[in-house]
Amino acid sequence: MPDQTFNDDTQPISKTAQKKAMQELQKLGAALVELNDKQLAQMPLEPPLRDAILQARTLKQREARRRQLQFIGKLMRSADGKAIAEAHRKLMEQSRYHIQHDRQAEHWRERLLLQGNSAVSEFMQQFPDADSQHLRQLLRGALKESQLGKPPAQTRKLFRYIRELLP
């Protein structure tokens, strides 16, 4: 987003509006620093901006990091801020969806472990594609692990199976 002093109606943009836009770009730059490598690779970033983000991750001193974030904000002004913001928004939505999906699987797993057969029959009604024999086998294994105080390998398998079935 280049430094613009006029909007679409050829009216001058106030300094306050310009400052606010620059602060938003700096906030977006700080959010990009917090992304992991896989997420960062999905962003439409130019090499200098990507390098500055990667360097900011390595800085531990507060003042050095603050200056680097300001530099990232400056680089963001010449980058396509709208495209980067849109890619970041989509990534965050996708992340929220996965978190919600995992919570739903966790809820079903806990319910199956606590309620047993009544929860299994309700689960089978909601998810007719599920293999009831396999589900019951995983559930028995998870309950046995819990009783014996073993590591939760079967419980994890049950979670993964449930997660695969969820839409």
Side-chain angles (χ1 to χ4, degrees):
M1 198 156 90
D3 188 20
Q4 298 174 337
T5 55
F6 295 93
N7 62 13
D8 294 339
D9 299 330
T10 64
Q11 296 288 329
I13 297 176
S14 69
K15 280 191 168 187
T16 306
Q18 288 177 2
K19 204 176 207 183
K20 186 176 180 183
M22 297 308 137
Q23 288 172 344
E24 290 298 318
L25 287 174
Q26 192 169 348
K27 284 181 186 176
L28 178 59
L32 293 175
V33 171
E34 300 303 319
L35 298 177
N36 64 34
D37 290 338
K38 185 178 177 185
Q39 293 169 328
L40 193 62
Q42 296 176 15
M43 295 291 128
L45 302 174
E46 296 164 4
L49 180 56
R50 184 177 307 276
D51 294 341
I53 290 169
L54 293 174
Q55 185 177 5
R57 289 180 181 176
T58 64
L59 299 174
K60 302 296 179 206
Q61 290 183 334
R62 183 178 178 154
E63 184 61 20
R65 186 172 170 86
R66 184 192 66 78
R67 284 192 312 267
Q68 186 68 16
L69 289 175
Q70 283 183 326
F71 178 64
I72 289 170
K74 182 179 177 183
L75 291 174
M76 291 285 291
R77 294 177 203 165
S78 62
D80 187 2
K82 289 181 182 179
I84 295 170
E86 181 63 22
H88 185 261
R89 185 190 62 77
K90 285 181 182 178
L91 185 68
M92 294 297 106
E93 279 181 10
Q94 189 179 39
S95 179
R96 280 190 291 273
Y97 169 77
H98 287 295
I99 290 169
Q100 182 182 14
H101 193 257
D102 284 352
R103 283 184 181 158
Q104 188 178 8
E106 179 69 29
H107 171 75
W108 270 111
R109 179 179 69 178
E110 293 300 318
R111 193 164 164 205
L112 288 167
L113 289 170
L114 292 174
Q115 295 177 359
N117 286 334
S118 63
V120 170
S121 56
E122 188 176 333
F123 185 83
M124 293 305 297
Q125 286 176 350
Q126 284 195 7
F127 304 101
D129 294 340
D131 180 4
S132 64
Q133 184 178 1
H134 183 63
L135 180 65
R136 289 178 196 278
Q137 182 182 11
L138 289 171
L139 187 56
R140 276 192 306 273
L143 289 170
K144 189 174 182 179
E145 278 178 348
S146 177
Q147 290 171 352
L148 297 175
K150 290 186 174 182
Q154 290 295 317
T155 307
R156 286 189 204 112
K157 285 181 184 178
L158 177 63
F159 176 78
R160 284 192 295 266
Y161 183 69
I162 293 168
R163 190 173 55 188
E164 289 172 5
L165 292 170
L166 294 177

